[in-house]
Amino acid sequence: MYEFNYRHANSVPDAIAAMQAADDGKFLAGGQTMLPTMKHRLAGPSDLIDLKGIAELKGINVTDQSVTIGAMTTHAEVAASTQVQNAIPALARLAGNIGDPAVRNCGTLGGSIANNDPAADYPSAVLALGATVKTSQREIPADEFFTGMFETALAEDEIIVSVSFPVAESAAYMKFENPASRYAIVGVFVAKTAGTVRVAVTGATTCAHRALRIEEALAGELDAEKVDAVTIPVEKMNSDIHASADYRAHLVIVMAKRAIAAASS
Amino acid sequence: MKNVELTVNGSPVSGEVESRTLLVHFLREHLRLTGTHIGCDTSQCGACVVHVNGKSVKSCTMLAVQADGAEVTTIEGLAHGEELHPMQQAFMDNHGLQCGFCTPGMIMSALDIVKRNGNELDEATVRKELEGNICRCTGYHNIVKSVQAGARAMGGES
């Protein structure tokens, strides 16, 4: 790892000022991706601005309509929250199956979606539930947030404050995971809200996305059989040592059907 | 260089570290607490698991400066003199190790499992919860037995 300046921010304005003063700064959330990336020298920021000490970025607030989770809330905290378990059980289960227990004690919601790893779990939930990402500058709808591989709509000095997930009538997440890393080879999140069914896929392509063909086939109903007729374009699928493009395209259908079945039961 | 002050195994410690110094390097090289191991260095194997403010973390994936002010417990902080912690004793009694390299991390993770799941652990729970700890010797069978026995012993039963 290259040496860098470590800065501990006490507030959001403090963190933004530190970022603006840095040559090539990065915000540090839970560090579970940032630090391995720096160890491999795939990143070498001049400054790391630690957001851990900012109280307003933490916590969970649940109402009848929504679950709002602070950006620096850890996966373990989301998974263990009885409020989240009751309001959107699929979201709590998703958080409880990221990485392993020690990783979940550090990794955060904000860190996950800001990094936007193609195989991360949370982006699929943000998209399928139609969440809103609240930042230090604005509110970004899920459909505008994830813009490409490791790319988001965030500006360099923009910090995620919280993510607000609408409470769904029913939802489920199914992940075909890499047995070593627990990242999704393919993961599908299905959510039904007021007559609409949204389906989001992670792990399959360069960026989590809504599976519009599956959504159209379902037409607002959680009926797994309707997915059988859907064709997934193979040419857009990732292909690597873990799974070929053909296999991933197949897995999208399989995991979508499993998620639909789980959401409708 | 940054000065860090933390509590390790109940004792206050401090040291000058680079920003990039990992917690595991601070523990092993500055404090000479070499019970915490470095296996994969890629946050997968769990040999470096310690507790920071009561929660298990992979100390190869945390900076020493991130732990500034924290309470850290390592494998060296478990025994009382010659008397092993019940979880350590359970690993010994159940042959829960062969080469022993993964054992410190297994035991620190095991204590975290007991804290969150209680003293009566079924095999499936232990296996799922140990996903972040890799052993290349034993096939996990005796490790799982050890964790279950250690958990019961911590609850006051032998």
Side-chain angles (χ1 to χ4, degrees), chain A residues 99-140:
Chain A
D100 59 57
V103 168
R104 292 195 288 273
N105 279 334
C106 292
T108 66
L109 167 62
S112 171
I113 66 168
N115 184 55
N116 192 19
D117 188 294
D121 296 298
Y122 263 130
S124 66
V126 171
L127 285 168
L129 290 165
T132 303
V133 181
K134 185 179 176 220
T135 76
S136 51
Q137 300 179 8
R138 55 190 164 144
E139 294 193 349
I140 308 174

Side-chain angles (χ1 to χ4, degrees), chain A residues 1-6 28 31-32 35-36 39 48 50 52 77 97 99-102 105-106 180 182, chain B residues 2 18-20 22 41-44 55-58 60-63 65-66 112 116 128-129 131-132:
Chain A
M1 193 187 302
Y2 295 112
E3 181 61 338
F4 55 88
N5 297 312
Y6 173 83
L28 178 64
Q32 300 303 288
L35 296 176
K39 281 158 76 169
L48 267 194
D50 194 348
K52 179 184 63 182
E77 289 163 345
N97 284 299
D100 59 57
N105 279 334
C106 292
R182 315 288 169 190
Chain B
K2 299 256 181 198
E18 288 187 303
S19 295
R20 63 180 166 177
L22 298 170
D41 202 25
T42 54
S43 21
Q44 298 192 55
K55 290 180 176 164
S56 63
V57 306
K58 292 183 164 175
C60 80
T61 312
M62 177 176 276
L63 302 168
V65 288
Q66 285 179 287
D112 191 62
R116 287 180 291 109
K128 166 121 183 73
E129 290 280 345
E131 279 179 351

Side-chain angles (χ1 to χ4, degrees), chain A residues 7 32 37-40 42 44 82 85 87 109 118 143 147-148 164 178 190-191 199 201 203 216 229 232 241 247 255:
Chain A
R7 303 192 187 276
Q32 300 303 288
T37 306
M38 290 171 65
K39 281 158 76 169
H40 285 114
L42 295 169
T82 49
Q85 288 167 8
L109 167 62
D143 288 332
T147 55
S164 207
N178 178 312
V190 172
V199 179
V201 177
E216 282 162 21
I232 299 297
I241 57 166
Y247 187 44
M255 301 320 281

Side-chain angles (χ1 to χ4, degrees), chain A residues 78-96:
Chain A
V78 174
S81 163
T82 49
Q83 283 187 299
V84 179
Q85 288 167 8
N86 291 333
I88 313 178
L91 188 62
R93 274 202 292 276
L94 176 150

